[in-house]
Amino acid sequence: QQDGSFRSVKSGSLDVFSTPSMIALMEQASCIAIEPALKEGETSVGTAVTISHLAPTPIGCTVTANAVAVAGTEREVTFEVSAVDSTGQKIGEGSHKRVVVKSDKFMQKANEKLAAK
């Protein structure tokens, strides 16, 4: 069962909200933030994450992530990201970088690795 705990994502042994799950929410918030700027056939991919996990959150609390673009070009955007739990406590913060790519070219390049096996 995937509940976002350290134990379920195999990154630790405690049943509290995990760092990988928090980062995934922060990436999702960044994807939502960049989406309006994308042209048809484009998507964005994460290329860098610098995150601090500040406080534990028990499973069952709601966690909300926020992403604000703080720097960028037409191709690359850096976001300031944060996460708070349902008690209002900030549980994480940091930065996340995304690069805009052409979806078809990106997938072609990735799939070429299978052909090279």
Side-chain angles (χ1 to χ4, degrees):
Q1 176 183 347
Q2 285 284 343
D3 61 9
S5 70
F6 283 114
R7 189 184 312 258
S8 74
V9 298
K10 300 185 182 350
S11 68
S13 61
L14 300 175
D15 289 323
V16 294
F17 192 65
S18 70
T19 305
S21 297
M22 181 182 70
I23 292 170
L25 281 179
M26 292 170 163
E27 285 202 75
Q28 182 181 30
S30 299
C31 285
I32 291 167
I34 199 172
E35 190 173 340
L38 299 175
K39 297 174 185 150
E40 182 150 347
E42 291 181 334
T43 191
S44 67
V45 294
T47 60
V49 178
T50 304
I51 300 297
S52 295
H53 198 157
L54 306 173
T57 300
I59 299 304
C61 277
T62 300
V63 176
T64 304
N66 188 50
V68 176
V70 294
T73 65
E74 192 172 308
R75 186 170 179 269
E76 182 178 278
V77 181
T78 300
F79 293 91
E80 186 174 282
V81 293
S82 61
V84 298
D85 66 22
S86 51
T87 70
Q89 182 178 23
K90 182 188 281 189
I91 64 163
E93 63 185 7
S95 65
H96 174 50
K97 187 178 292 185
R98 298 194 72 77
V99 172
V100 176
V101 298
K102 300 279 186 194
S103 300
D104 56 349
K105 287 184 179 180
F106 187 87
M107 289 307 300
Q108 180 182 358
K109 186 175 180 179
N111 288 329
E112 285 173 358
K113 292 182 177 184
L114 291 174
K117 279 174 59 172

